[in-house]
């Protein structure tokens, strides 16, 4: 992973506006970005978007031999992959500290909290069990990867259904989806990780963006107060994970406030996940074709986290513009009509096009009128 440096102007500007009660994208301290969950054609595949941070999660299963210390329990494996498609500072096929950090947090949240009924994944004791593998692919990194990855993991596990199995003697028959209905994954509770950025040891910012996370981590490296606090809770307001990266916290009220905010946030996220699963099941029962094509838009072009590649006119009217110099203009200055028009092509997007009446050729005037 290549090092990404921030200038002192960026750091000072972010710290100043946050101390004054503002954020770079206009949100308040306790406001999160828009959450969107979209499911694919297969069970257990979903794309979660948290603002401009996008993550693809896919759950797969296979029959393996169980562990000797847990002969009657299945296996859960979580794999996180971050490629240069997410951000240019990452390198392909190379594990970074951020990847290891995400893997450990997700395993603590979903394996150590025992939210999945692993005993229901057993087929034959000490011989065959189901192994669930969750592959997480970061599509775009715009901050708060931990929260987005945990939501994607939860949404894919809750949506996944494994094939039904029948035993006939010593043989095991795995049925297809057309032969028997698949079996859903049993979840005892729904844990979610919520991230907070701490500034000046007393300001708590929910759902930090990429530049806010960078300022927090740079402040902790320089010795000042600041860091990232990850709180994992379920819908019953039970604490599952508590992790702090950065400088130490001297005020216990910050942790208490973060837990209270995380409880409300986790409850809303779990309700959103459950409602999306119910909607997806209803669409599948009606034989509606479901895929990721609905979330792919051509309204704007995205390159990494930069989407402002077109001219956007928001709340702009030409009649509202008043020129102060119009009254002071002399009569000698005669303005010519423009050969171009500003045409609205899409929503909030305009393009400059030449007028049809005007010729695109350059007119050259000669002094003599003779041919």
């Amino acid at each position: 992973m290549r090092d990404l440096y921030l200038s002192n102007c960026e750091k000072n500007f972010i710290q100043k506006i946050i101390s004054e009660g503002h954020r770079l994208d206009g949100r308040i301290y306790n406001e999160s970005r828009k959450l969107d969950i979209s499911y694919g054609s297969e069970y257990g595949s979903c794309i979660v978007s948290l603002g401009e941070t996008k993550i693809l999660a896919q759950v797969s299963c296979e029959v393996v031999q169980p562990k000797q210390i847990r002969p009657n329990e299945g296996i859960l494996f979580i794999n996180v992959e971050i490629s240069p498609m997410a951000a240019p500072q990452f390198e392909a096929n190379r594990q970074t500290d951020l990847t290891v950090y995400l893997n450990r947090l997700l395993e603590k949240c979903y394996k150590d909290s025992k939210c999945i009924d692993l005993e229901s994944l057993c087929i034959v004791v000490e011989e065959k069990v189901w192994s669930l593998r969750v592959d997480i692919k970061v599509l775009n990194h715009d901050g708060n990867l931990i929260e987005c990855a945990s939501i994607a993991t939860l949404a894919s596990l809750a949506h996944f259904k494994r094939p039904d199995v029948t035993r006939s003697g010593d043989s095991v028959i795995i049925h297809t989806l057309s032969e028997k209905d698949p079996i859903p994954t049993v979840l005892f509770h729904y844990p979610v990780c919520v991230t907070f950025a701490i500034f000046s040891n007393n300001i708590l910012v929910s759902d930090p963006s990429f530049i806010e996370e960078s300022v927090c981590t740079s402040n902790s490296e320089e010795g000042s107060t600041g860091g990232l606090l990850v709180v994992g809770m379920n819908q019953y307001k039970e604490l599952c994970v508590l992790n702090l990266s950065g400088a130490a916290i001297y005020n216990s009220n910050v942790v208490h406030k973060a837990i209270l905010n995380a409880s409300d946030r986790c409850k809303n996220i779990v309700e959103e996940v459950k409602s999306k699963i119910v909607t997806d099941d209803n669409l599948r029962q009606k034989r509606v074709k479901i895929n990721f094509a609905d979330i792919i838009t051509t309204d704007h072009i995205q390159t990494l986290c930069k989407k402002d590649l077109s001219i956007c006119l928001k709340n702009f009217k030409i009649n509202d513009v008043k020129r102060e110099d119009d009254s002071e203009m002399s009569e000698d200055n005669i303005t010519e009509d423009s050969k171009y028009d500003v045409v609205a092509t899409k929503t909030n997007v305009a393009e400059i096009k030449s007028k049809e009446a005007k010729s695109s050729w350059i007119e050259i005037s000669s002094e003599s009128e003779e041919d």
Side-chain angles (χ1 to χ4, degrees):
M1 179 178 176
R2 305 182 185 91
D3 294 332
L4 187 64
Y5 299 100
L6 288 177
S7 63
N8 293 330
C9 295
E10 291 176 316
K11 295 178 185 178
N12 297 333
F13 178 74
I14 295 297
Q15 292 175 355
K16 182 179 179 180
I17 63 174
I18 288 181
S19 62
E20 294 176 354
H22 306 286
R23 298 179 69 174
L24 195 61
D25 50 5
R27 293 181 290 159
I28 60 176
Y29 287 159
N30 197 25
E31 184 180 358
S32 300
R33 292 172 290 182
K34 181 182 178 182
L35 175 64
D36 187 21
I37 303 173
S38 302
Y39 289 104
S41 58
E42 298 181 357
Y43 288 110
S45 63
C46 69
I47 292 180
V48 176
S49 301
L50 189 62
E52 288 299 320
T53 301
K54 299 180 186 297
I55 289 182
L56 170 65
Q58 175 67 54
V59 181
S60 57
C61 63
E62 62 177 350
V63 179
V64 297
Q65 188 176 0
K67 297 180 180 179
Q68 295 182 356
I69 57 175
R70 303 284 185 180
N72 61 338
E73 291 185 359
I75 301 173
L76 175 64
F77 179 73
I78 300 176
N79 179 44
V80 180
E81 182 181 355
I82 306 177
S83 63
M85 180 174 58
Q89 65 264 24
F90 298 104
E91 299 180 4
N93 302 324
R94 182 170 296 183
Q95 200 173 27
T96 61
D97 295 339
L98 180 60
T99 307
V100 177
Y101 177 65
L102 288 174
N103 264 317
R104 290 178 179 176
L105 275 181
L106 293 176
E107 287 181 356
K108 287 180 181 180
C109 185
Y110 293 98
K111 293 180 67 175
D112 297 348
S113 65
K114 299 180 180 179
C115 67
I116 302 177
D117 186 10
L118 296 179
E119 293 184 358
S120 63
L121 303 177
C122 180
I123 302 174
V124 182
V125 179
E126 297 182 354
E127 293 183 8
K128 296 180 180 180
V129 295
W130 285 108
S131 174
L132 300 183
R133 177 188 174 95
V134 184
D135 290 302
I136 298 173
K137 177 79 172 180
V138 180
L139 303 179
N140 191 32
H141 179 23
D142 193 25
N144 202 0
L145 281 181
I146 301 172
E147 183 173 345
C148 192
S150 67
I151 298 173
T153 305
L154 177 63
S156 58
L157 285 173
H159 184 257
F160 178 71
K161 295 182 180 181
R162 66 182 185 274
D164 198 358
V165 177
T166 302
R167 289 186 58 188
S168 59
D170 295 337
S171 62
V172 176
I173 302 173
I174 300 176
H175 299 280
T176 60
L177 300 181
S178 59
E179 294 175 353
K180 283 190 175 182
D181 294 335
I183 302 174
T185 307
V186 180
L187 296 178
F188 295 126
H189 57 94
Y190 292 75
V192 179
C193 293
V194 181
T195 308
F196 297 94
I198 303 175
F199 290 88
S200 303
N201 205 21
N202 56 359
I203 301 176
L204 203 64
V205 176
S206 176
D207 188 15
S209 61
F210 177 74
I211 190 169
E212 290 173 348
E213 285 185 349
S214 302
V215 171
C216 278
T217 53
S218 63
N219 289 341
S220 61
E221 292 176 358
E222 293 173 359
S224 58
T225 56
L228 295 176
L229 178 64
V230 179
V231 180
M233 299 189 73
N234 56 16
Q235 73 271 30
Y236 305 115
K237 298 183 180 181
E238 296 174 348
L239 189 63
C240 301
V241 177
L242 188 63
N243 181 270
L244 175 65
S245 59
I249 300 177
Y250 301 101
N251 190 0
S252 60
N253 295 328
V254 175
V255 181
H256 182 67
K257 183 180 178 181
I259 292 175
L260 293 178
N261 295 337
S263 61
D264 298 334
R265 172 69 175 165
C266 294
K267 185 179 179 180
N268 297 332
I269 292 174
V270 171
E271 292 177 355
E272 178 73 15
V273 171
K274 289 183 178 179
S275 63
K276 290 290 185 179
I277 292 176
V278 172
T279 304
D280 182 78
D281 290 340
N282 295 334
L283 293 176
R284 291 178 188 272
Q285 291 177 2
K286 296 178 182 178
R287 304 295 181 180
V288 178
K289 188 177 181 180
I290 301 173
N291 49 34
F292 291 136
D294 298 335
I295 64 174
I296 301 176
T297 60
T298 57
D299 294 339
H300 57 267
I301 302 175
Q302 289 186 346
T303 166
L304 299 177
C305 59
K306 307 293 183 182
K307 68 175 184 178
D308 47 350
L309 299 179
S310 58
I311 303 174
C312 295
L313 304 177
K314 297 182 178 180
N315 301 325
F316 177 79
K317 295 181 180 179
I318 192 62
N319 297 329
D320 297 338
V321 179
K322 297 181 179 180
R323 297 182 180 179
E324 298 178 356
D325 300 335
D326 289 348
S327 58
E328 300 178 0
M329 290 179 63
S330 60
E331 298 179 356
D332 297 337
N333 297 332
I334 302 174
T335 59
E336 298 180 357
D337 295 336
S338 176
K339 297 181 180 181
Y340 303 96
D341 282 336
V342 179
V343 181
T345 56
K346 300 177 182 178
T347 306
N348 294 334
V349 178
E351 292 184 1
I352 300 177
K353 294 184 178 180
S354 59
K355 294 182 179 180
E356 297 180 357
K358 298 291 182 178
S359 175
S360 58
W361 295 93
I362 301 176
E363 299 179 358
I364 301 176
S365 60
S366 58
E367 297 179 357
S368 61
E369 296 179 356
E370 297 179 359
D371 296 333

